[in-house]
């Protein structure tokens, strides 16, 4: 297996989206990413662009420690964010999974999604557009 899965993704993107002038990856954002086979922790070492890696503090489907190991493995600059009271299925913008296999947290889904949207948008504006960093939203711990 190629040790640089994100390079493969970029090449596939170029082949699939020929009309786009550039489909290179400039940043990676993930929340409550699952451990996979092959290992997502090992694959994280292939991330060579800025990354925002986040999790909810009450996620039980993907343990926060697993997400922290992915964050620690990123080769480029990375930011770790933990949403206090956040839960795995709270990152979904619908109830399409019908609650099957979902966990729960101490904050409502709508509140968690609002925090995620603010955090994503602010981080992407700073990282990709050079905007001044904004204060971290209450309820989010960032390192």
């Amino acid at each position: 297996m190629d040790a640089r899965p994100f390079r493969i993704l970029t090449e596939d993107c170029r082949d699939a989206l020929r009309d786009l002038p550039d489909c290179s990856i400039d940043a990676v954002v993930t929340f409550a990413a699952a451990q996979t086979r092959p290992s997502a922790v090992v694959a994280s070492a292939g991330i060579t662009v800025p990354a925002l890696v986040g999790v909810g503090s009450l996620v039980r489907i993907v343990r926060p420690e697993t997400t922290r190991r992915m964050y620690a493995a990123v080769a480029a600059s990375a930011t770790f964010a933990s949403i206090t009271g956040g839960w795995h299925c709270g990152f979904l913008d619908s109830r399409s999974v019908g609650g099957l296999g979902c966990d729960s947290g101490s904050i409502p889904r709508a509140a968690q999604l609002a925090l995620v949207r603010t955090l994503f948008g602010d981080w992407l504006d700073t990282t990709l557009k050079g905007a001044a960093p904004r204060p971290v939203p209450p309820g989010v711990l960032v390192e």
Side-chain angles (χ1 to χ4, degrees):
M1 175 176 183
D2 191 320
R4 297 179 52 102
F6 300 99
R7 174 62 59 202
I8 292 169
L9 178 61
T10 300
E11 291 166 2
D12 290 347
C13 177
R14 286 194 179 118
D15 289 342
L17 303 170
R18 293 185 187 139
D19 294 336
L20 294 177
D22 181 15
C23 62
S24 62
I25 297 171
D26 296 320
V28 173
V29 176
T30 183
F31 270 75
Q35 176 58 297
T36 58
R37 290 186 186 165
S39 171
V41 174
V42 172
S44 295
I47 298 175
T48 58
V49 296
L52 173 60
V53 180
V55 69
S57 67
L58 298 180
V59 169
R60 290 187 304 271
I61 293 173
V62 177
R63 296 193 180 279
E65 300 81 33
T66 301
T67 304
R68 184 170 289 285
R69 285 195 310 275
M70 290 177 200
Y71 156 74
V74 173
S77 66
T79 302
F80 182 83
S82 177
I83 297 178
T84 304
W87 42 300
H88 189 79
C89 292
F91 291 110
L92 300 173
D93 62 2
S94 72
R95 296 172 193 236
S96 61
V97 294
L100 181 63
C102 274
D103 54 353
S104 60
S106 62
I107 61 174
R109 181 189 315 268
Q112 182 167 331
L113 289 174
L115 286 171
V116 169
R117 287 183 188 112
T118 299
L119 185 61
F120 272 25
D122 292 352
W123 186 86
L124 288 169
D125 282 348
T126 299
T127 303
L128 299 177
K129 297 179 180 177
R134 295 189 182 135
V136 175
V140 179
L141 303 174
V142 172
E143 0 177 314

